[in-house]
């Protein structure tokens, strides 16, 4: 504090630009990053490369190149990433993001990578091309409000997206949400949920009441044999995740172990089945 008090008057403007709400560095990076990838496939006409934004390899030599650009003005970020795959150019990722009072708003094409596994969790990964979406989240872990502030920190994220035409259900919508809780720094407990609804041949959702019934899963898993009873039966998935961060490994001064984490993930569809001690309800595929 003593050093800060001495240096603050001299660097006041720079410090305020970094930390005051609504302010931040402004810059432009015409060439932020260049990424190239070569691959060779033999004995197959097509192979899907996992966790690579929908990259499909063809027989023979394959080529991919991404070039990204970035512009930030105060709290607004513009990001652009065109891509060349073989001889076909396309826009891979592009979005505008705005940070306001600790909340992030994003609109454009972007990945959803939640969870602590290498490529996200069991519900969302970067295995497909980035989706066109609107996303809303807080920018970091925050203390729980009111009398719950002693219970740790939380973080949430939510997005709405529309899927492509080339689906079993063309132009279906995705509603994804995640809530993470850290009772203390090294332990994280999170829940993730996704809802696929609407699309060609399915009913529209236009009111808050419609979305409330969608959120509460009122019409899911209907047992009535009448097909009309399944009109609002949608596709829902959920997961629960527990992660322990072993940061204390870094204090051992033993190079192979600078840190680590152990995580458990359980996921399934919207058929809830009581399992475990006391019949704790978890999503399941059975």
């Amino acid at each position: 504090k003593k050093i800060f008090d001495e240096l603050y008057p001299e660097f006041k403007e720079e410090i305020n630009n970094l930390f005051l709400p609504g302010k931040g560095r402004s810059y432009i990076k015409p060439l932020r990053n260049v990424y190239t990838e070569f691959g060779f496939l033999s004995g197959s006409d097509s192979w899907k490369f996992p966790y690579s934004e929908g990259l499909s390899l063809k027989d023979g030599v394959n080529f991919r190149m991404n070039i990204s650009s970035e512009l930030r003005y105060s709290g607004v970020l513009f990001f652009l990433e065109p891509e060349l795959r073989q001889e076909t150019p396309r826009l891979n990722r592009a979005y505008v993001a705005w940070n306001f009072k600790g909340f992030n708003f994003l609109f454009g094409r972007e990945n959803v990578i939640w969870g602590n596994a290498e490529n996200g969790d069991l519900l969302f990964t970067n295995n497909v091309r980035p989706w066109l979406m609107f996303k809303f989240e807080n920018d970091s872990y925050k203390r729980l409000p009111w009398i719950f502030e002693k219970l740790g920190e939380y973080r949430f994220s939510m997005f709405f997206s529309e899927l492509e035409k080339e689906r079993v259900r063309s132009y279906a919508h995705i509603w994804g949400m995640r809530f993470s809780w850290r009772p203390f720094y090294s332990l994280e407990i999170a829940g993730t949920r996704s809802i696929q609804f609407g699309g060609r041949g399915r009913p529209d959702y236009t009111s808050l009441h419609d979305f409330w019934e969608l959120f509460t899963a009122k019409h899911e898993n209907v047992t009535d044999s009448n097909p009309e009873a399944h009109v609002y039966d949608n596709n829902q998935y959920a997961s629960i995740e527990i992660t322990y961060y072993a940061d204390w490994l870094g204090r051992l001064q033993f190079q192979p172990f600078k840190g680590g984490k152990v995580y458990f993930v359980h996921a399934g569809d919207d058929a809830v089945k009581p399992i475990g001690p006391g019949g704790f309800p978890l999503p399941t595929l059975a």
Side-chain angles (χ1 to χ4, degrees):
K1 185 177 183 304
K2 181 177 181 295
I3 296 174
F4 180 86
D5 289 341
E6 292 177 354
L7 295 179
Y8 178 70
E10 183 178 353
F11 298 99
K12 180 178 180 180
E13 183 177 353
E14 289 84 354
I15 294 173
N16 288 345
N17 285 338
L18 286 174
F19 297 108
L20 285 183
K23 296 209 173 197
R25 293 188 302 133
S26 298
Y27 60 83
I28 181 170
K29 296 181 180 180
L31 193 62
R32 179 182 182 272
N33 191 38
V34 178
Y35 173 80
T36 58
E37 180 177 329
F38 291 89
F40 182 78
L41 182 65
S42 177
S44 177
D45 293 333
S46 180
W47 186 70
K48 200 79 168 180
F49 197 74
Y51 309 115
S52 191
E53 299 175 337
L55 176 62
S56 293
L57 302 183
K58 306 297 182 182
D59 187 28
V61 178
N62 293 263
F63 170 74
R64 173 190 184 190
M65 181 173 68
N66 289 0
I67 300 176
S68 61
S69 304
E70 189 174 278
L71 183 150
R72 180 183 293 275
Y73 179 76
S74 190
V76 181
L77 174 69
F78 298 89
F79 181 85
L80 188 67
E81 184 186 70
E83 178 181 69
L84 181 65
R85 294 191 178 188
Q86 308 296 72
E87 300 84 18
T88 306
R90 75 173 191 179
L91 190 60
N92 190 48
R93 292 193 296 159
Y95 58 81
V96 55
W98 178 43
N99 182 278
F100 180 72
K101 295 187 180 298
F103 295 98
N104 287 331
F105 302 84
L106 180 146
F107 178 75
R109 281 196 173 274
E110 176 61 311
N111 288 312
V112 178
I113 302 181
W114 287 337
N116 290 293
E118 182 180 358
N119 296 293
D121 62 7
L122 295 178
L123 300 189
F124 297 104
T125 72
N126 62 336
N127 199 35
V128 296
R129 183 183 180 186
W131 292 339
L132 179 64
M133 68 174 66
F134 171 76
K135 185 165 68 170
F136 169 63
E137 60 189 0
N138 56 345
D139 58 8
S140 62
Y141 275 90
K142 310 290 185 183
R143 278 282 173 186
L144 288 166
W146 199 39
I147 60 175
F148 305 107
E149 63 177 358
K150 301 296 184 182
L151 298 180
E153 300 177 322
Y154 76 96
R155 190 173 187 179
F156 75 91
S157 184
M158 181 173 65
F159 77 91
F160 288 92
S161 177
E162 182 178 84
L163 300 184
E164 307 88 349
K165 177 183 178 181
E166 297 78 13
R167 296 271 178 164
V168 175
R169 186 71 63 187
S170 298
Y171 304 117
H173 300 96
I174 296 290
W175 181 7
M177 58 200 87
R178 179 179 174 87
F179 184 85
S180 305
W181 170 49
R182 277 185 169 176
F184 47 92
Y185 182 76
S186 59
L187 180 66
E188 180 184 46
I189 303 171
T192 303
R193 185 178 173 194
S194 67
I195 308 174
Q196 180 181 337
F197 63 100
R200 184 170 294 173
R202 297 286 294 173
D204 294 326
Y205 290 78
T206 57
S207 67
L208 290 177
H209 178 264
D210 291 341
F211 281 96
W212 175 251
E213 292 196 338
L214 186 66
F215 177 77
T216 57
K218 180 178 179 180
H219 301 286
E220 303 298 328
N221 306 310
V222 179
T223 57
D224 195 325
S225 59
N226 183 1
E228 294 184 1
H230 297 264
V231 172
Y232 292 94
D233 194 342
N234 294 291
N235 189 21
Q236 302 207 23
Y237 291 85
S239 70
I240 185 170
E241 179 180 309
I242 302 173
T243 305
Y244 172 71
Y245 298 91
D247 295 334
W248 52 270
L249 287 172
R251 297 195 293 268
L252 298 179
Q253 301 299 316
F254 187 47
Q255 285 302 312
F257 301 103
K258 295 183 178 180
K261 60 186 175 185
V262 179
Y263 58 87
F264 165 82
V265 184
H266 176 94
D269 67 11
D270 51 5
V272 174
K273 179 181 179 182
I275 64 173
F280 187 74
L282 287 176
T284 178
L285 294 174

